[in-house]
Amino acid sequence: MNGPDTQPTRTEQSLTVGLILSLDGCAAGKGWPGWWGLESPEYLDWLAQQPDSLTLMGANTYRVMEEMSEQAQQIDVSEDEKASFAQLADADQIVFSATLSAPLAWPGTRLISTDAVEAVRELKRTSAKPLVTMGSIDLGCSLLRAGVVDRFRVVLFPVITGRTGLERIWERYQDVALGLVEARTFEGGLQLLEYVPTPLDAPPGTAWER
């Protein structure tokens, strides 16, 4: 029990690195539409029900998303897509970059130019919301390597992009052991897999076994 002069211990916020991938581990494919054309209503409903969070991204992801947001307002796309990008621009999020300059075009986005790992450690202590990454492969790799990631979430779409695949994610990751904590299949065959990650310095086993 806390005495009159003590404060309750604050619980750290969790950090989830999330990836949306084809079955062969690509984040996109040349000529493929967004979500590979398989954005099932059940999956979209699940996304909408996720708790409010603080989104983290790197400079490249921010540039791509901000450019897509501008284009969406000028080309013939659905009103839902336009509204989605407008909502994203106002969302509470942070960009880690040493090359971008404030103020950023998106009003809800803050810029942090210092070391991302140390900044995330501080955010886990001080943020009022859980932390999640958006895209940002290199940022996710760095945070995972530093041991600050609590959950590793992959949503697999039932396509193989083969030769058209872009951003082959797993080639850029270190060795990681994954403990499965949640699995779910959405209509359309999308699979959600969530793990507790443990970065590995080397494959398990003795040098002889390796």
Side-chain angles (χ1 to χ4, degrees), residues 105-187:
W106 283 359
T109 304
R110 291 173 282 162
L111 177 65
I112 292 182
S113 301
T114 55
D115 180 72
V117 171
E118 291 307 314
V120 167
R121 286 196 174 105
E122 180 64 18
L123 286 168
K124 291 183 71 172
R125 290 191 292 266
T126 60
S127 175
K129 306 174 184 179
L131 315 177
V132 298
T133 64
M134 176 191 291
S136 306
I137 303 165
D138 291 336
L139 175 63
C141 288
S142 296
L143 297 176
L144 191 62
R145 191 179 304 113
V148 297
V149 177
D150 302 287
R151 290 289 187 271
F152 191 73
R153 178 185 295 155
V154 180
V155 179
L156 290 178
F157 281 67
V159 297
I160 294 175
T161 55
R163 288 172 300 201
T164 65
L166 302 172
E167 298 187 36
R168 298 183 183 277
I169 303 299
W170 304 133
E171 295 174 359
R172 295 158 68 174
Y173 267 79
Q174 69 180 100
D175 292 350
V176 184
L178 300 171
L180 184 67
V181 292
E182 183 177 353
R184 174 175 176 176
T185 301
F186 298 102
E187 63 178 321

Side-chain angles (χ1 to χ4, degrees), residues 83-102:
S84 177
F85 276 112
Q87 186 178 29
L88 182 62
D90 291 331
D92 187 15
Q93 48 206 5
I94 289 174
V95 174
F96 295 98
S97 174
T99 57
L100 295 173
S101 300

Side-chain angles (χ1 to χ4, degrees), residues 2-88:
N2 295 307
D5 297 324
T6 63
Q7 296 294 325
T9 302
R10 181 186 176 92
T11 302
E12 278 197 349
Q13 294 289 359
S14 64
L15 168 61
T16 299
V17 166
L19 296 170
I20 298 174
L21 302 174
S22 65
L23 188 60
D24 53 338
C26 295
K30 185 177 181 180
W32 289 81
W35 280 320
W36 295 275
L38 298 172
E39 57 269 51
S40 79
E42 186 183 10
Y43 172 59
L44 296 181
D45 287 344
W46 175 83
L47 282 178
Q49 294 167 12
Q50 294 307 293
D52 193 19
S53 59
L54 176 60
T55 300
L56 313 179
M57 69 182 85
N60 290 339
T61 296
Y62 173 77
R63 289 189 184 100
V64 169
M65 298 302 294
E66 198 271 327
E67 182 179 356
M68 291 176 61
S69 178
E70 286 187 6
Q71 292 176 347
Q73 307 308 316
Q74 301 167 7
I75 62 177
D76 184 19
V77 296
S78 71
E79 291 302 316
D80 286 345
E81 286 181 285
K82 291 182 180 180
S84 177
F85 276 112
Q87 186 178 29
L88 182 62

